[in-house]
Amino acid sequence: MSNQNQTPKNGNTLGVVAPQQLSVIAQAVAGLDASQLTWVSGYLAGLAQAGGSVSAQPANQVAAAGEQKTFTILYGSQTGNAKGVAAQLHSAAEAKGITCKLVSMADYKARQIKNETHLAVVVSTHGEGEAPDDAMELHEFLASKKAPKLANTQYAVLGLGDTSYEFFCQTAKDFDQRLEKLGAKAALPRVDCDVDYETASATWIEELLSKIQDELKAESSAPVAAATSVSGADAVQTYTKKAPFAASLATVQKITGRDSVKDIQHIEISLEDSGIQYQAGDALGVWFKNDAAIVAEIIELTKTNGDDSVTVAGSELSLTEALTAKLELTLSYPGFVTAYQDIIKNDALQDIISDKAKLRTYLDDRQIIDVVREYPGQLTAEQLASALRPLTPRLYSIASSQAEVEDEVHLTIAHVDYTAFDKRHQGGASGYLCSRLEEGDTVEVYIEPNQHFRLPENPETPIIMVGPGTGIAPFRSFIQDRDAQGASGENWLFFGNPSFTQDFLYQTEWQGYKKSGLLTRLTLAFSRDQEQKIYVQHRLAEHGEEVYKWLEKGAHFYVCGDANHMAKDVEQALIDLVAKYGNKSDEEAKQYVVALRKAKRYQKDVY
């Protein structure tokens, strides 16, 4: 007969462990992280099965156990690229028999870093040299007085960025400098990758593992459980960036008025027969082709032959094919101008290149074609291809819920279309989708999951959405999703654009949701409808008291749109209203907003 429920003679109500023993256990496990606790539980379970007991170990053996080597891979990712590289490193390490952890910086306890012996950091940069949202806390911690000395840590940093921006890979540079300052030793020099990062990142992974694998392999035989901590489980996708789905363009519809200063298009793409699944908050990756007229003009201006063979990313194809579908011809960047000048040797262009500030100003309103038009020269096909960087897909926030539209995906795209230097200019992907493709044409797409921009798990949780301009896109998916799921949580939308009559995107839909009660509050900011410009951050300030009340009752706060100006202004407005209506100092208000971010109640999808 079982005696599990009987009270022992010593009066211990726990049934097995005496109070003093429990106290010792609590002290022993204090401060252990999740992976260490997992190992301890497995160790004790093994002893129980073997009927064994634990004897006291000499102090030097205990110390040795505390010096267990670790290999932790941390990633900070805004669009998913850094996460992808980190996952590749994790897989490659495991394939070599190395036990390691893969952790989003958003889920990493910053103080744990003092226990790391081997650390890999993969991080992107966005905005004006800013850390991605999930890296912000660790980024700030390492710069603070609380950061520990890291004399026993080896590290390696890989940065992902875009040389067309001034603060190229700044966050990676920050991590590298701060880790070094804290006494950590670099296993490899930092690597800064441009948008065509695949080859450089693969080389970095190989070199890093070659450098540290002997040390870590020796440790991997020790009984330490591998732990992979990735925020949210991504759905397995059949189609990827490297293997996109050939979808059909179903609808292209302008949704701004004839007199609007903006050309914003609603795009519907059919995913029929693909099996592709996506969630509200995800992005759609779109591969595009360059304008045939621009391709022909560049070939003419550089005196090349479109039929000549070139090699791009290991594949051989004609120059025309490469310029059409494999090489970037829209976004200008310093690397192209430098490489181009090295070939054509133009004194005037050299004068521009010699001054970094002058070069960036020059490139601000120019595309690749503008540089070639202004400074034509004679090149070989291979020289031209080598000067250009590989074309990369554009990511667009999805503007639909699959629960509502099933085998479709919707986008809200600002068509970049303007005149400069007496020539028409269009965006690469926006011109392709909005102007050069016809309905029924094929477009290659894939889903880019965004685990850091998700609706609350509890459908009763209220949400506040701030999305001016095309930033409205993911909130259309949010509200469709909540409608389809019958979610009871309150919903508040802040939307802004230049004019009510010309630029109220999806006006009928939003007014319908407001009338039905699904959209609890709708607050609008049309900047040009009155003498003094009004933006969403001004509306937040006007409704600050009510916004604070919503936050106090658990609301999640979302922002989508321009990173450099709008998102910063909205965050400052949020801090100000928390200080005012929460009766807090500026520092306390900032910490309140930081706490929202840590709790994943303040999420941004900015670009």
Side-chain angles (χ1 to χ4, degrees), residues 290 294-295 298 323-324 327-331 367-369 388:
N290 290 309
I294 297 296
V295 170
I298 285 181
L323 293 176
T324 300
L327 297 169
E328 177 64 67
L329 298 185
T330 309
L331 298 176
Q367 295 183 342
I368 296 292
I369 185 62
L388 295 164

Side-chain angles (χ1 to χ4, degrees), residues 345-587:
K345 310 292 186 187
N346 183 285
D347 291 341
L349 190 55
Q350 182 59 47
D351 181 62
I352 295 171
I353 291 174
S354 62
D355 185 331
K356 287 186 177 180
K358 183 188 291 186
L359 176 57
R360 291 205 171 274
T361 300
Y362 173 78
L363 292 177
D364 276 346
D365 54 358
R366 285 174 171 82
Q367 295 183 342
I368 296 292
I369 185 62
D370 295 310
V371 178
V372 179
R373 283 170 177 157
E374 193 168 355
Y375 301 102
Q378 185 165 355
L379 292 79
T380 66
E382 197 61 57
Q383 283 176 326
L384 177 58
S386 297
L388 295 164
R389 66 187 183 188
L391 184 145
T392 55
R394 303 294 192 258
L395 294 177
Y396 292 103
S397 301
I398 291 175
S400 57
S401 165
Q402 206 157 20
E404 171 75 19
V405 303
E406 298 181 346
D407 58 358
E408 292 181 359
V409 61
H410 298 178
L411 305 176
T412 310
I413 296 180
H415 180 199
V416 178
D417 189 4
Y418 62 97
T419 298
F421 313 110
D422 298 321
K423 297 281 188 177
R424 185 187 186 189
H425 291 67
Q426 294 190 82
S430 69
Y432 179 66
L433 289 169
C434 302
S435 177
R436 296 195 294 277
L437 284 185
E438 300 287 340
E439 292 181 359
D441 284 349
T442 296
V443 55
E444 295 186 330
V445 301
Y446 63 96
I447 301 298
E448 185 67 59
N450 185 355
Q451 297 297 342
H452 301 296
F453 203 74
R454 289 283 187 251
L455 280 165
E457 291 184 9
N458 185 348
E460 297 178 359
T461 302
I463 64 173
I464 300 170
M465 304 167 283
V466 182
T470 55
I472 197 70
F475 302 134
R476 185 173 183 264
S477 74
F478 277 18
I479 206 73
Q480 284 186 359
D481 201 72
R482 287 203 133 184
D483 189 25
Q485 303 302 331
S488 59
E490 294 180 301
N491 306 293
W492 189 349
L493 174 68
F494 286 81
F495 172 70
N497 237 352
S499 166
F500 176 88
T501 58
Q502 302 292 321
D503 305 300
F504 192 169
L505 307 183
Y506 304 111
Q507 177 181 353
T508 303
E509 292 182 19
W510 292 117
Q511 289 176 335
Y513 288 132
K514 182 69 173 66
K515 186 176 181 180
S516 71
L518 179 64
L519 186 61
T520 314
R521 300 190 64 160
L522 175 61
T523 302
L524 304 171
F526 292 104
S527 59
R528 301 189 183 185
D529 281 356
Q530 59 284 311
E531 186 175 344
Q532 184 177 1
K533 291 186 177 179
I534 297 176
Y535 299 106
V536 287
Q537 61 267 25
H538 300 132
R539 295 302 191 203
L540 274 170
E542 290 174 12
H543 297 275
E545 185 172 10
E546 191 65 18
V547 169
Y548 183 70
K549 287 179 181 177
W550 276 50
L551 294 174
E552 284 292 278
K553 65 182 181 181
H556 286 215
F557 190 91
Y558 300 90
V559 182
C560 182
D562 169 53
N564 292 334
H565 302 289
M566 181 278 297
K568 291 179 179 179
D569 292 339
V570 165
E571 180 159 314
Q572 188 58 56
L574 181 61
I575 292 170
D576 291 344
L577 70 87
V578 167
K580 182 175 181 179
Y581 298 104
N583 193 26
K584 302 178 188 297
S585 67
D586 286 345
E587 185 56 34

Side-chain angles (χ1 to χ4, degrees), residues 113 142 150 155 157 175-184:
I113 201 166
L142 291 178
L150 301 175
Y155 75 94
V157 176
F175 271 105
D176 187 23
Q177 292 166 2
R178 291 172 190 181
L179 289 169
E180 182 182 29
K181 188 174 181 180
L182 293 169

